[in-house]
Every structure is written in structure tokens, then in C-alpha cells.
Amino acid sequence: MLLRLPTSLSEARNCMAEGAVPVGGATLVWALWQRDGFPEQAMSLRSLPEANVLEREALGAAVLLHRIDDRVPEVLRGAAATVGTGAVRRTATVGGNIVGSTLRCLLPAALVLDARATVLDRDGTYETDLAEVVAKRHLLLSLRWRDPVASGYHKAPGEVGGPPPLVVATAVHTEGDGRRRVRVAVRDGYEVTGGSTECAAGPDEVLDALERTDLGSLPPAPRDVVRREVSEILVRATDG
């Protein structure tokens, strides 16, 4: 197998046109390739500047999870820190986790940041939402968002070989008109459910409004965790 390492977007497009299979940290595909056979060509974005950005409001798809630090909001930092083992985090990438993984541990965090994705296809780059990235398995270059007022990440304890643990991600943002909005994303099993509402009313009214979103369809136990996490993030946003 030939591993190609493009250093520009034009090189990356050429690799795609020539059939190179995108690979992140190979933590997910290596075992499959050993079983099913290796492709003739693979492509890593680890040498592509656009895929390696690490800033307060941007994160590249080729960034290794163990490199994610306090330059990004707490919700993303918390999500990355709980993926697998230290060895996994030193090889797994942002793009591989969001696009290639069935667990998508970083997806709830990206959703509550209201992140937009920059993707690459054979015609060039364009911006889209995360739903399209996940559904169509685009080649992700980077994520960008507006810095939240406060954010948080909760992951329930899990058992090795057991079902995916519950994840609740939260963030409070200031909108363009100055009003604040809380966003919540929950991974329950393999499904991710989200909802948002304005923070103009009191905590009880905010929680009741979230119950009227898709979050209200969650089972009772995850809904209790959502209420706790939202109550905490609203207090932190007020204190901040």
C-alpha cells in the first residue's frame, strides 16, 4: 500500500482523483484492512496545513486527539480526553473520530458548538453542516465555531465491551442580538439527539423548553442527566 501525504489542497484533490483512500490515524481501519485487504493507495492529511489548525475557534481534522488542549472550549477538550486509551489518543484524529467512527465521541461536542465543517472533494473545498458530513462521509478538513460563553462535557462510566456510555454535551452561546442560547447534544447508545432554546427565562423554564425539543424523547435516566448538566452550565454561564 502506498501512503500519500499531500502538503497542499491541490495535491490532496489529485490523490482523491487517483483513488487514494482517506485515512486518519488508522486506529479504526487497520484491522479491517488486515482482514479484507489493503487498498493500493491511502491518503493522510497529517502534512496538510489546513487540516492541522488548532485554535480557540478552529480544529483541524488531522489533529491527534491527545494534542487537544485548553486552546479549544472545554466541551471539545473533555470529549477528546475520554476517547479510548492514551495510546489510542496519540494516534486517533479528529476527522477519523467524527467521520470514521460509529461512536463519534467528538460529535456531540461539535454539535453544541454549532460547528461548521470545511470539507474537500474533487472540485475543491466548501463549508457544510455536520449532519451532511456524517451522512455522506465527506473528507473533513476542519471545524470552525464561535467561542461559547461556557461549555461542558459529561461521559458516564462504561464497561469494556459493553454498550456505548451516555454522553451529554452542553454549551451556552451569545447570539448576534445579544441574547443567549443553550445547546445540548446527547449520545444515547449510537444515536445522537440534540436540542436548543433561549436562556432568557429562568432555569426551570429553560429545562421545560428543552423537554419540548427532541431531547424530550429520551428515556428518563438520560433526561435526568440532561437536566443536571444544563442546570450546571446555566450557573456557570451566569457566573462567567
Side-chain angles (χ1 to χ4, degrees), residues 65 76-85 89 105-106 153-155 165 167:
L65 299 187
L76 265 178
R77 190 165 70 250
T82 61
V83 174
T85 64
R89 293 190 292 274
C105 299
L106 270 62
Y153 185 83
H154 168 81
K155 187 175 186 178
V167 165

Side-chain angles (χ1 to χ4, degrees), residues 201-221:
D204 290 340
E205 289 81 3
V206 170
L207 290 167
D208 289 343
L210 288 173
E211 284 281 342
R212 294 190 290 272
T213 70
D214 290 345
L215 297 169
S217 65
L218 292 168

Side-chain angles (χ1 to χ4, degrees), residues 129-160:
D129 58 39
L130 288 166
E132 180 177 320
V133 172
V134 172
K136 298 184 178 180
R137 300 178 67 85
H138 288 308
L139 179 57
L140 179 65
L141 288 178
S142 64
L143 301 172
R144 294 188 179 275
W145 59 86
R146 290 184 302 104
D147 195 22
V149 177
S151 66
Y153 185 83
H154 168 81
K155 187 175 186 178
E159 299 179 3
V160 177

Side-chain angles (χ1 to χ4, degrees), residues 113-224:
L113 291 175
D114 198 25
R116 297 285 293 174
T118 299
V119 300
L120 177 69
D121 63 16
R122 296 183 182 185
D123 296 322
T125 63
Y126 65 94
E127 188 178 276
T128 187
D129 58 39
L130 288 166
E132 180 177 320
V133 172
V134 172
K136 298 184 178 180
R137 300 178 67 85
H138 288 308
L139 179 57
L140 179 65
L141 288 178
S142 64
L143 301 172
R144 294 188 179 275
W145 59 86
R146 290 184 302 104
D147 195 22
V149 177
S151 66
Y153 185 83
H154 168 81
K155 187 175 186 178
E159 299 179 3
V160 177
L166 176 72
V167 165
V168 178
T170 55
V172 175
H173 296 261
T174 300
E175 305 283 271
D177 57 6
R179 289 184 287 186
R180 288 185 172 183
R181 174 170 291 272
V182 61
R183 290 186 170 85
V184 183
V186 178
R187 188 191 71 191
D188 185 28
Y190 290 95
E191 298 299 318
V192 177
T193 304
S196 73
T197 188
E198 288 186 0
C199 302
D204 290 340
E205 289 81 3
V206 170
L207 290 167
D208 289 343
L210 288 173
E211 284 281 342
R212 294 190 290 272
T213 70
D214 290 345
L215 297 169
S217 65
L218 292 168
R223 285 163 61 194
D224 287 343

Side-chain angles (χ1 to χ4, degrees), residues 32-44:
L32 295 176
W33 287 350
Q34 288 180 312
R35 184 191 68 191
D36 301 333
F38 287 79
E40 291 185 6
Q41 298 183 67
M43 175 179 64
S44 169

